[in-house]
Each structure stands twice: as C-alpha cells, then as structure tokens.
Amino acid sequence: FILWRLDPEELGQEVIRRVNDKGGVQLEAETFSIKPLQGLFIDQASISGETPSGSVRADVAEVIIEYELMPILQKELVINRIIIDQPQAELISRPAAKPVPEGESAESEVAVEEPAETEATLAEQPEEAVGGFKPTVVIEEVRIENASLTAKTEGGDGGELAIKGLGLELHDFYVDSAAVAPLLGLNARGGIRIEEIQADDTTIHGGRGDIGIHNGQIAISDLSVETPNASLNVAALDLDMRQDPPSYHLEAGGAFDLNAFVEAEGPGGFGPAAVSLVLDGTGPDPDGATGGGSLRMEAGTVPAFPAVAKIEKLLGKSLISGTPYQVTDMDFSLANGIATLEPFRLVLE
C-alpha cells in the first residue's frame, strides 16, 4: 500500500537533492515517474559541474534510478544502479595561461590547503531524513549508455575532440567529500566502450577497454582502436583533470599500414609494419602533443610513392622504387602535429 502511494515528484526531488549535495554536480529535471518494480525515471535532465580546468555540462534523455523494493516499503532509499541514457556532454577547458612578460609579476594566488583524502561512501554520511526517506544511499553501479562528448577550449582556440557512442559501466562507486573540487571527488572502476573519436580531420573507431577514476585522474587501458592507417592497442591513456588545461599521457602500439600512409602506388610495397608510440599533451588540440616512438618494417619492396617519385623525376632515373629491402627499424619524434624520422639505415638487396 505504501509502495503505490509513493509520490514520484517527492522522491525525484529527494534524489536530485542528494545527488547535488553529495555528487558534486548540479542535476535538474523536468518530469518524474515511478515504475514500482523498476525504479524512478527522470526525463529531460541536465547535469553540470565545475573542475579546476573548466566546466562540464550534459543534457540527458533519461535517467533511471533503480532501487531495492523492500527498503522502499520502510521509507528507506537504497539505490543499486543509476542508468544515464544518451547524455550529450560538453567539456570546456580554459585556455592555458599566457607566460608573464619579463619584468612583470604574475598576480598572486591564494594557496588552498587540500584536506586529507577520505573514502567515505554516500551511505556513510549521516544526514537528517528529508521528504519521509532515510538518507541511506548505496550506489553499486553507474551505467552511461550511448553518450556523446565534445571537448574544446573556451573561446574556440585550439582543436576540438568529439567522442560518439561512449558507454561506461562503473562499479565501486563513491565520492570523496574532501576533494578540492566536487567533480574531482568521483571514484569508480569498470569498463569503457567507444564507437568513434573525431579529432580534427581524423576519424578513429574504438572498441572496449578498462577504466579507473580516482579523484580527478582517469586511467584507461587495454582499449583497441582503428585509425585510417593502423590497428592499435592503447596500453595506457592517463587523463589528469586536475591540471589547467587537462593533461594526458598515451602509450599505444600495433599494426601500421605504411603503404596507405605514404600513398604507395604500383606493384610491390612495404612489408608488414608495427609501430609503438608514447605521447604527452594538454587540452583537446591533437597538434599540441609531443613524444615519439619506433617503427619496424618487415622485408618488402620499396613502392612508388609521391616523395620518391619526385626525387626520381628530378634525377631522371629510378633509384630505389621497385627494389627489395631488408627488415628496417626506425625511430621518430612528434611535435606540433609533425612526425620527424630520425636517421635510419635502409639496406637494399
């Protein structure tokens, strides 16, 4: 009897109040409905929050909050799972600070002492009951389905990164109430799924991997991606949202189609190639990344491609195109969106 008299508006506002107070975000919604055996449904919601490096906002088609049935009968709110469906999020980073001209002093900053880290779950934070419900809130799982995320710099400077078909399954979810910024207090681990990443004119198709979130630091591992010229495994992608702008560290490797990369033509071609790379950068602009890596080409035949064709045309004769070569290793560096090959030895047969 109590179950059927639940007021969805009352329950919805209580959940929103708890999320806003303890979750470090601002959640707003227009309509609420209850399906007693399923949970609370929140339609047309918006979520926003601040980080030290900028702001994040998401419009959500639907939020489903699944709760245990028996505690509800005792007016106790115990949340087992939150499902966020089709959020469209935008992460805006503040531009990097400009260097201070010589002879001028930077504006003073007030140092803020960071409180000691705590790992109290929402359920361990007692609070006076509101709306007829006890404050017990236990979140066992958070699922984000079919999300899209756009990351860019405030003012439009720099590049833009867009992620489509993003899915997250997060467990061991808790909020560190001592974090310097509320959103940086989120902690969880689980799985991640990405369908597509768009960085400037490059489209990357993703797969599944693992993710861990700890006080503003996001660690992604074992994620497979397909670029126009490579099939890579991302061994580590570490994002630090505590930086201004956010920073990242990437380690990846896999098969590389060198023939497609150099636009090879005619018969023959480079043998199978493998690449490994390490990159570091800040903000959403991929041209800001720096790093390097190595490339190994198995034995093959030097194909005709534009760079070689121009040289041979100037010389008036064919020098290396169509010539077999031995296994070759080379190193490269990357800066300002340009890859530079280090000196290497190509042994022709």
Side-chain angles (χ1 to χ4, degrees), residues 14 17-18 77 122-123 125-129 133-137:
E14 168 63 8
R17 189 190 66 82
R18 290 305 305 271
L77 180 59
L122 295 177
Q125 300 173 14
E127 184 178 327
E128 184 178 350
F133 291 94
K134 297 180 183 179
T136 302
V137 178

Side-chain angles (χ1 to χ4, degrees), residues 275-323:
V275 65
S276 64
L277 70 157
V278 176
L279 297 177
D280 293 281
T282 58
D285 188 356
D287 289 344
T290 60
S294 62
L295 176 70
R296 161 163 280 213
M297 298 188 305
E298 298 298 331
T301 302
V302 179
F305 58 95
V308 170
K310 289 180 181 179
I311 295 174
E312 293 181 337
K313 184 177 181 180
L314 288 174
L315 296 175
K317 59 180 179 179
S318 176
L319 292 177
I320 61 173
S321 59
T323 304

Side-chain angles (χ1 to χ4, degrees), residues 98-161:
K98 297 181 179 179
V100 179
E102 187 175 351
E104 298 183 12
S105 59
E107 296 182 1
S108 60
E109 297 182 356
V110 179
V112 179
E113 182 178 353
E114 296 188 14
E117 179 179 307
T118 62
E119 295 191 354
T121 65
L122 295 177
E124 294 172 346
Q125 300 173 14
E127 184 178 327
E128 184 178 350
V130 177
F133 291 94
K134 297 180 183 179
T136 302
V137 178
V138 179
I139 302 177
E140 295 182 354
E141 180 183 3
V142 176
R143 285 170 46 193
I144 300 177
E145 300 179 347
N146 197 25
S148 63
L149 170 65
T150 301
K152 57 186 178 182
T153 304
E154 189 177 47
D157 296 332
E160 181 174 304
L161 180 71

Side-chain angles (χ1 to χ4, degrees), residues 83-312:
I83 302 173
I84 303 174
D85 186 35
Q86 301 179 51
Q88 298 181 16
E90 185 176 63
L91 175 64
I92 301 179
S93 302
R94 285 184 288 271
K98 297 181 179 179
V100 179
E102 187 175 351
E104 298 183 12
S105 59
E107 296 182 1
S108 60
E109 297 182 356
V110 179
V112 179
E113 182 178 353
E114 296 188 14
E117 179 179 307
T118 62
E119 295 191 354
T121 65
L122 295 177
E124 294 172 346
Q125 300 173 14
E127 184 178 327
E128 184 178 350
V130 177
F133 291 94
K134 297 180 183 179
T136 302
V137 178
V138 179
I139 302 177
E140 295 182 354
E141 180 183 3
V142 176
R143 285 170 46 193
I144 300 177
E145 300 179 347
N146 197 25
S148 63
L149 170 65
T150 301
K152 57 186 178 182
T153 304
E154 189 177 47
D157 296 332
E160 181 174 304
L161 180 71
I163 300 176
K164 300 179 181 179
L166 173 64
L168 295 172
E169 295 180 3
L170 302 176
H171 307 275
D172 299 335
F173 185 93
Y174 68 88
V175 177
D176 180 3
S177 60
V180 293
L183 275 179
L184 299 187
L186 297 178
N187 291 264
R189 64 179 180 86
I192 182 172
R193 181 184 69 257
I194 298 175
E195 290 185 4
E196 183 179 291
I197 302 173
Q198 185 76 36
D200 289 339
D201 296 329
T202 302
T203 300
I204 301 172
H205 298 283
R208 295 178 179 269
D210 300 320
I211 185 171
I213 303 173
H214 180 70
N215 286 17
Q217 300 175 84
I218 303 173
I220 299 173
S221 60
D222 198 24
L223 176 67
S224 298
V225 297
E226 299 279 341
T227 75
N229 302 308
S231 297
L232 303 176
N233 178 264
V234 177
L237 174 57
D238 300 323
L239 309 173
D240 194 339
M241 306 303 293
R242 303 171 302 174
Q243 305 294 320
D244 186 6
S247 63
Y248 61 87
H249 173 79
L250 170 69
E251 298 178 15
F256 182 63
D257 188 347
L258 187 57
N259 292 298
F261 181 74
V262 300
E263 300 178 350
E265 300 174 350
F270 294 113
V275 65
S276 64
L277 70 157
V278 176
L279 297 177
D280 293 281
T282 58
D285 188 356
D287 289 344
T290 60
S294 62
L295 176 70
R296 161 163 280 213
M297 298 188 305
E298 298 298 331
T301 302
V302 179
F305 58 95
V308 170
K310 289 180 181 179
I311 295 174
E312 293 181 337

